[in-house]
């Protein structure tokens, strides 16, 4: 009996399959070169226009207007609408403007108050017992101690009361803070009531404060400060100098100056202002 010959197993692998992958590769390569060609042939003028427009959009000038202008590139149909930008400096500029207006208002008011002091205290200014020093941010009213106190005493004399009442008439309607500063000469005090000139100057400042409260000024506006002999305005070696150094100073502070909590140098630097000072009737 003859043996049946087995049929050979057909090869199922397609040896031409590589041509499909090759064709895909050629297609992708062709697409790549087309893209490269299209990029290389773009109008350079449009790119320059786009670059310039973006540069202007993000420049400081455009930030100040809080908008980006529409960008027109050649014949492109797309227009970028204005987009509002948040400018971090807007709040700072607004604060400076408000602060500047407040300062100018206070400066005008202080100038008027200084004129009132000069008017109601004119006889004492002429006798070199009172001087008015005007600044952009405060007023200093210097009163010689001889006009207010007996020698070595901190109790107000009778002739001091009418003078202080005139001062109260000017400052009572105002909301400004008031510092009362006591000063002495450098001669040691020989008095059982006070251990030093520092004690005497503090007690004198406090006496003035009490009188102001008695006349109706809100105590919240008042401060009493004693400087003793350590802030002289003249030479303590001569009697005329010591006479000037024995004084009580009323400092009427600008309300804006006190409220914003900056000193005059900081405020002048912030607002580019140059503080000015004048004096009338130097004692």
């Amino acid at each position: 009996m003859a043996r049946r010959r087995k049929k050979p197993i057909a090869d199922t692998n397609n040896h031409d399959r590589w041509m499909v992958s090759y064709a895909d590769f050629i297609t992708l390569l062709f697409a790549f070169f087309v893209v490269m060609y299209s990029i290389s042939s773009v109008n350079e003028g449009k790119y320059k226009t786009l670059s310039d427009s973006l540069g202007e959009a993000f420049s400081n000038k455009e930030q100040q207007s809080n908008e980006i202008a529409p960008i027109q590139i050649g014949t492109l149909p797309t227009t970028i609408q204005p987009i509002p930008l948040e400018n971090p400096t807007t709040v700072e500029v607004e604060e400076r403007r408000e602060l500047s207006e407040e300062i100018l208002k206070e400066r005008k008011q202080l100038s008027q108050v200084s004129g009132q002091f000069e008017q109601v205290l004119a006889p004492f200014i002429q006798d070199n017992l009172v001087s008015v020093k005007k600044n952009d941010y405060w007023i200093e009213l210097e009163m010689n101690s001889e006009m207010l106190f007996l020698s070595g005493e901190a109790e107000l004399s009778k002739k001091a009361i009418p003078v202080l009442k005139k001062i109260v008439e000017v400052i009572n309607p105002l909301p400004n803070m008031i510092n009362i500063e006591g000063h002495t000469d450098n001669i040691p005090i020989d008095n059982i009531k006070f251990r030093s000139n520092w004690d005497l100057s503090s007690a004198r400042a406090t006496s003035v404060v009490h009188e102001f409260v008695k006349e109706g000024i809100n105590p919240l506006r008042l401060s009493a400060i004693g400087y003793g002999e350590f802030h002289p305005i003249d030479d303590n070696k001569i009697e005329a100098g010591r006479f000037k150094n024995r004084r009580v100073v009323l400092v009427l502070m600008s309300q804006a100056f006190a409220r914003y909590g900056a000193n005059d140098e900081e405020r002048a630097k912030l607002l580019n202002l140059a503080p000015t000072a004048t004096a009338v009737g130097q004692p």
Side-chain angles (χ1 to χ4, degrees):
M1 182 175 181
R3 179 181 294 180
R4 182 178 295 181
R5 182 179 296 178
K6 293 181 179 181
K7 293 181 180 181
I9 299 174
D11 188 0
T12 58
N13 292 329
N14 189 351
H15 297 286
D16 294 331
R17 186 177 178 182
W18 65 272
M19 295 182 65
V20 177
S21 299
Y22 178 75
D24 292 340
F25 174 75
I26 293 299
T27 301
L28 292 174
L29 188 62
F30 175 75
F32 173 74
F33 280 110
V34 170
V35 172
M36 293 295 292
Y37 174 76
S38 64
I39 293 176
S40 64
S41 62
V42 171
N43 190 335
E44 294 182 0
K46 294 181 180 180
Y47 270 104
K48 187 176 187 303
T49 303
L50 175 62
S51 176
D52 294 342
S53 298
L54 290 176
E56 292 178 2
F58 292 99
S59 66
N60 290 333
K61 294 181 180 180
E62 291 300 323
Q63 287 182 0
Q64 292 177 0
S65 65
N66 292 336
E67 292 182 352
I68 297 180
I71 303 175
Q72 302 291 344
I73 305 176
T75 59
L76 292 178
T78 304
T79 300
I80 300 178
Q81 298 298 328
I83 302 175
L85 296 177
E86 292 185 1
N87 191 341
T89 62
T90 301
V91 176
E92 181 180 354
V93 171
E94 183 65 19
E95 288 179 350
R96 286 193 178 192
R97 184 186 66 80
E98 293 179 358
L99 184 58
S100 180
E101 291 178 355
E102 186 78 9
I103 289 296
L104 293 176
K105 179 181 177 181
E106 287 277 306
R107 187 177 299 177
K108 181 178 179 180
Q109 184 184 54
L110 290 178
S111 179
Q112 294 174 348
V113 173
S114 176
Q116 291 177 318
F117 278 147
E118 293 169 8
Q119 182 178 1
V120 300
L121 300 174
F124 304 100
I125 292 175
Q126 294 175 359
D127 292 339
N128 293 329
L129 295 174
V130 175
S131 71
V132 182
K133 295 182 179 180
K134 180 175 60 179
N135 187 281
D136 289 338
Y137 307 128
W138 64 80
I139 296 175
E140 289 187 12
L141 180 63
E142 289 188 358
M143 299 170 283
N144 192 272
S145 294
E146 305 297 326
M147 182 182 68
L148 303 176
F149 306 99
L150 298 176
S151 179
E153 296 291 335
E155 184 178 353
L156 290 168
S157 62
K158 292 182 179 180
K159 62 180 181 181
I161 305 303
V163 178
L164 296 181
K165 284 186 177 182
K166 291 180 180 292
I167 296 173
V168 169
E169 291 176 0
V170 176
I171 62 177
N172 200 18
L174 304 173
N176 303 65
M177 299 297 294
I178 304 168
N179 292 344
I180 305 298
E181 304 172 350
H183 299 265
T184 68
D185 56 28
N186 65 344
I187 297 179
I189 189 171
D190 185 13
N191 192 315
I192 59 174
K193 294 181 180 180
F194 307 105
R195 293 178 299 174
S196 66
N197 285 325
W198 224 333
D199 294 316
L200 175 60
S201 65
S202 300
R204 286 180 169 179
T206 303
S207 294
V208 175
V209 164
H210 283 308
E211 184 63 26
F212 281 170
V213 173
K214 181 181 177 181
E215 294 296 329
I217 294 182
N218 189 340
L220 295 176
R221 298 173 54 196
L222 296 166
S223 297
I225 305 170
Y227 285 111
E229 63 200 65
F230 301 104
H231 291 273
I233 58 174
D234 211 320
D235 189 359
N236 274 313
K237 295 180 179 179
I238 58 176
E239 177 55 34
R242 291 192 294 271
F243 178 81
K244 293 181 180 180
N245 290 334
R246 296 190 295 268
R247 68 199 191 278
V248 173
V249 181
L250 182 152
V251 183
L252 186 69
M253 305 296 295
S254 165
Q255 190 71 353
F257 170 79
R259 178 163 58 252
Y260 286 98
N263 59 43
D264 56 320
E265 291 182 294
E266 291 170 343
R267 190 169 312 291
K269 183 178 180 181
L270 177 64
L271 301 177
N272 293 321
L273 299 175
T276 58
T278 57
V280 179
Q282 296 289 346

